[in-house]
Amino acid sequence: MSKFTGSAPEGDSHDFKEPGTLANSEGGSEVGQLQRASEAKRQIGIVSAVFLIVNRVIGTGIFATPGSILKLSGSVGLSLFIWVAGMLIALAGTAVYLEFGTAIPKNGGEKNYLEYVFRKPKFLTTGLYTGYVVLLGWASGNSVVFGEYILHAAGVEVDRWNQRGIGLACITTAFLIHATSVKWGIRLQNLLGTIKVIIILIIVVAGWVALAGHVKLPEDEKPHNFRDAFEGTTGSAYGVVTALYNVIWSYIGYSNANYALSETKNPVRTLKIAAPLAIGVISVLYMFVNIAYFAAVPKDEILAAQRLVAASLFRNVFGGTAERALSVFVALSAFGNVLSVIFSQGRLVQELGREGILPYSRFWASNRPFNAPTAGLFEHWAVSVIIMLAPPPGDAYNFILNLISYPLAIINTFVALGLIYLYLNRKAWNWNPPISATLPVVIFFFLSNIYLVIAPFVPPEDGQNIYDELPYWLHCVVGFGIIIAGGVYWVIWAKILPKIGGYELDRVTLYDEIDGWERSVFVKRPIDKTQ
């Protein structure tokens, strides 16, 4: 564990710690027991941290997104440049989260970083963040994709209910595994992450084979996408904006290890190695995969493809039988992503419980009975299941899936802004973490997320609206609304009710005597009106 690397300016406290909540034990024996219990829960090493990131970043996008990027950009050359731009933004984001994670090595990720910087008004940041965590079901999208590709592999026609039924089985399995055994859940994630990397390496090798001219296509149909790489480059601003937007989202997940640093062995050292290694390897593989696609699949076939570009590559290089096998691989990749997402999101819910912000916070904060955040995992499972099963197909379903991803750009904008503020006030905050992202990198990440927030408001051209009938900007507005809803909750809970009741809220840190986890509760301090 690293030493504390930053502090607020004098007189600007963050948390109130009740005297004696830890040190009122018999001598130091209880403190020692708590420390041993706390260390015993650390089961994530460097390899597991790498695969936490790999499983979160590599879902199903890399198997399909390159086709849509080519359609939007118009040319192979511009498409590859856009992927490079997305890679640079992902590397900048990794650096930002690496600096914050090594400075504040505990579960919770950006929640901790936002609370650390944005302290006034008191508890507002926690309230705003609560709506974002509790109301969005990140694991729902790839659960449904898992169902789709399992059915494709089995040769069964996909409909609304068999797809979502298998998706329900997928996310329920992920929940039960992580809720009952952290160790075996991590091992399964590592296995699936390894399979993903192997699949991508097979695609890369297939690209080399195709570059050598060995594709199962007639001579006059073989791809020559690199001869005039910029032919067909689009003049559409919306196309380029949307293409870059899609590439950036293909890299989302570089912060995934930050959500479980309280369960990570030697968290500072582990994060310093795992995060750059994971994103560096993924970035290189993504570029090779795109080159492989363009080497093995003619441009017209990519543009006409209805599903996976990878399916066309497998068919052209290995034959038709391999195309069905790819559906199984993509389903496994989706399942690995679901495991990784519910693992991290369940811990965010648990952290909100430990902060005392949620009703029945002791329940959400608990690590019992299996030394896993079962209640937090269940909350994310429940929200994801509702999102999967409730909406009808079409605009309503697409709207909810788009809504899930958009608020992250808002959160990352403020994470970067917070770090910029710390840089500009480094001496006052004593901000000297083990790793520095550097100010230019943080500004670059900040501007890229401003772009992600604003870009979806650019009016689409004819035929490019993501919805059939709904306004193209609706998920963006509702995304802001979800965060603002947390602010409304804060006004009622932290301002109006205390004023009516004549008290103020203070946060007291307590420690679980069994598993060593810390949690916070809010206590009502009566206001002395005589002073």
Side-chain angles (χ1 to χ4, degrees), residues 123-421:
F123 309 135
L124 173 60
T125 298
T126 308
L128 292 171
Y129 191 76
T130 298
Y132 164 75
V133 171
V134 172
L135 298 177
L136 298 176
W138 283 81
S140 57
N142 270 312
S143 297
V144 174
V145 170
F146 174 85
E148 176 184 354
Y149 284 100
I150 284 293
L151 291 168
H152 281 313
V156 176
E157 184 178 354
V158 178
D159 62 42
R160 173 184 177 184
W161 291 114
N162 64 8
Q163 179 185 24
R164 299 189 192 190
I166 295 175
L168 175 61
C170 168
I171 193 171
T172 302
T173 301
F175 160 64
L176 291 175
I177 290 171
H178 281 318
T180 55
S181 177
V182 173
K183 181 179 291 185
W184 281 103
I186 291 172
R187 287 174 177 172
L188 181 57
Q189 286 185 171
N190 292 351
L191 173 63
L192 291 172
T194 302
I195 291 172
K196 288 185 185 187
V197 173
I198 291 172
I199 296 166
I200 289 180
L201 288 174
I202 291 172
I203 292 175
V204 171
V205 171
W208 294 339
V209 171
L211 284 172
H214 302 294
V215 292
K216 298 180 184 298
L217 291 172
E219 190 65 33
D220 60 341
E221 295 181 14
K222 288 184 178 180
H224 302 285
N225 292 321
F226 299 110
R227 285 185 178 174
D228 189 359
F230 289 91
E231 181 185 4
T233 297
T234 182
S236 166
Y238 178 82
V240 174
V241 164
T242 307
L244 181 56
Y245 190 85
N246 290 341
V247 168
I248 292 171
W249 283 118
S250 295
Y251 278 98
I252 290 301
Y254 44 76
S255 63
N256 211 45
N258 293 57
Y259 299 121
L261 290 176
S262 295
E263 299 168 68
T264 300
K265 302 170 187 175
N266 196 350
V268 171
R269 177 178 179 272
T270 298
L271 189 63
K272 285 165 67 174
I273 297 172
L277 177 61
I279 294 300
V281 170
I282 290 170
S283 298
V284 172
L285 289 177
Y286 271 14
M287 294 308 301
F288 276 127
V289 165
N290 275 278
I291 293 171
Y293 289 151
F294 294 132
V297 187
K299 181 178 177 180
D300 291 342
E301 185 178 343
I302 296 174
L303 294 174
Q306 297 299 311
R307 295 211 330 269
L308 301 180
V309 180
S312 297
L313 177 142
F314 267 57
R315 183 179 61 252
N316 292 352
V317 177
F318 302 116
T321 304
E323 187 176 356
R324 179 170 290 187
L326 180 69
S327 293
V328 177
F329 294 153
V330 174
L332 289 174
S333 183
F335 183 51
N337 181 268
V338 171
L339 279 167
S340 183
V341 168
I342 197 170
F343 180 92
S344 57
Q345 294 301 119
R347 280 154 176 78
L348 284 177
V349 175
Q350 184 185 50
E351 282 301 306
L352 290 174
R354 288 194 183 126
E355 293 295 335
I357 190 73
L358 298 177
Y360 308 105
S361 59
R362 184 170 186 175
F363 169 74
W364 301 111
S366 175
N367 234 36
R368 300 169 184 171
F370 301 109
N371 199 28
T374 305
L377 293 166
F378 174 77
E379 191 279 337
H380 192 71
W381 172 87
V383 173
S384 296
V385 168
I386 291 171
I387 288 173
M388 271 196 300
L389 301 182
D395 274 0
Y397 187 67
N398 292 333
F399 162 73
I400 288 178
L401 293 184
N402 288 323
L403 172 63
I404 290 169
S405 59
Y406 181 77
L408 180 58
I410 303 172
I411 298 295
N412 278 340
T413 297
F414 282 95
V415 168
L417 182 63
L419 191 50
I420 291 171
Y421 176 77

Side-chain angles (χ1 to χ4, degrees), residues 8-9 12-15 97 100 104 110-129 410-422 425 429 431 442 446 490 507:
D12 188 10
S13 63
H14 181 41
D15 283 336
Y97 275 86
F100 266 129
I104 310 173
E110 62 266 6
K111 170 188 167 296
N112 300 324
Y113 318 147
L114 294 170
E115 287 180 336
Y116 180 79
V117 179
F118 302 104
R119 305 184 181 196
K120 294 179 179 180
K122 197 174 183 181
F123 309 135
L124 173 60
T125 298
T126 308
L128 292 171
Y129 191 76
I410 303 172
I411 298 295
N412 278 340
T413 297
F414 282 95
V415 168
L417 182 63
L419 191 50
I420 291 171
Y421 176 77
L422 289 175
N425 298 275
W429 285 70
W431 183 252
V442 181
F446 171 72
W490 169 81
R507 192 152 47 191

